[in-house]
Amino acid sequence: VGRRSAVFLACAAGSAAAFSVPPSMQLRGSRTDVAVDCSASPLGRRQMLGATLFGTGAILVNPQVASARKEVSDGGLPPGIAEYMGVVKAKKQWTQIGKRVAEGHAEMPAEEWTNIQGFLRKFYDTGKEMEEVSNAFSNDERKAVAEVAKGFKKAVKAIDKPAKEKDWEAFMTQHAQLLAYIEDFQDIRAGKKKEVKSSQNGVVDL
């Protein structure tokens, strides 16, 4: 094998190992040693958290991300990815609940409203997941996310009342507020803003 072919093969074999993530995104025990320098550029934290999610798994569209996943010996994901997946899933479920209440409130049985209250107990943890994801952000962004998460958790507690009373109009008003908190978080994560607007609308006092 010629010299150029040998170097090419070494680069191809080492491409997976060439992936590196910021210290705050690495798993314990992960290795990023590279024997041959193939000029691989590491992913930024936003690219790492920008995985495209489908169903119960994660399809990581960037080949460097996919390569990194293969290197995790226990099959887990770097800190922040699982939490962001949780936020995305919660947003999807919350949107579906809003659609159901807005369009089918007249036919919803008491049991369905009770199920929504049960979902709220799990939905509350979405605020904690936002904070976990923000550990990889800048100081200003972490502060902004902390504000969003605080308002979000307060709003989740507040919306339990209209759900219990089956007050669909009040529920939908507060539903939109909670959705705005999640969208604020996603905007901060995308680097679009550091100040939140949703909190200016206020949350119903408990």
Side-chain angles (χ1 to χ4, degrees):
V1 180
R3 181 175 179 277
R4 292 184 179 179
S5 298
V7 172
F8 173 79
L9 292 174
C11 288
S15 61
F19 174 86
S20 64
V21 293
S24 60
M25 297 294 291
Q26 290 180 350
L27 287 177
R28 292 181 180 177
S30 62
R31 294 181 178 273
T32 56
D33 298 334
V34 185
V36 180
D37 182 8
C38 300
S39 300
S41 61
L43 278 180
R45 57 182 172 77
R46 297 193 189 283
Q47 289 175 292
M48 193 64 186
L49 293 176
T52 302
L53 311 172
F54 294 99
T56 57
I59 300 177
L60 307 179
V61 294
N62 191 303
Q64 286 182 308
V65 179
S67 175
R69 257 188 106 204
K70 295 177 183 178
E71 290 182 2
V72 180
S73 60
D74 60 359
L77 293 171
I81 297 295
E83 288 78 8
Y84 182 66
M85 288 172 62
V87 174
V88 171
K89 181 179 179 180
K91 181 183 179 181
K92 180 179 180 180
Q93 292 175 319
W94 190 240
T95 300
Q96 292 172 339
I97 288 173
K99 180 179 175 63
R100 169 59 177 162
V101 173
E103 298 178 357
H105 57 271
E107 61 186 28
M108 286 175 59
E111 182 181 2
E112 195 166 351
W113 283 105
T114 300
N115 289 340
I116 290 177
Q117 286 184 274
F119 173 81
L120 292 175
R121 288 155 180 74
K122 180 180 179 182
F123 194 44
Y124 181 90
D125 289 337
T126 301
K128 299 177 182 178
E129 290 175 327
M130 292 179 192
E131 293 174 314
E132 287 291 329
V133 174
S134 73
N135 286 333
F137 294 3
S138 68
N139 289 334
D140 288 343
E141 289 170 333
R142 280 199 298 273
K143 291 177 181 178
V145 170
E147 181 182 347
V148 169
K150 181 179 179 180
F152 176 88
K153 288 183 281 189
K154 181 180 179 182
V156 172
K157 291 181 178 180
I159 202 173
D160 183 71
K161 182 178 180 180
K164 183 178 181 179
E165 297 175 351
K166 305 175 185 59
D167 184 346
W168 76 273
E169 292 180 324
F171 181 90
M172 288 307 301
T173 297
Q174 295 180 47
H175 177 280
Q177 175 69 30
L178 279 160
L179 195 58
Y181 279 122
I182 297 177
E183 290 172 348
D184 268 337
F185 161 74
Q186 291 182 313
D187 281 347
I188 295 169
R189 174 190 154 273
K192 294 181 180 179
K193 61 182 177 181
K194 297 178 181 178
E195 295 181 359
V196 290
K197 295 181 180 179
S198 61
S199 60
Q200 296 175 1
N201 298 326
V203 179
V204 178
D205 291 331
L206 298 176

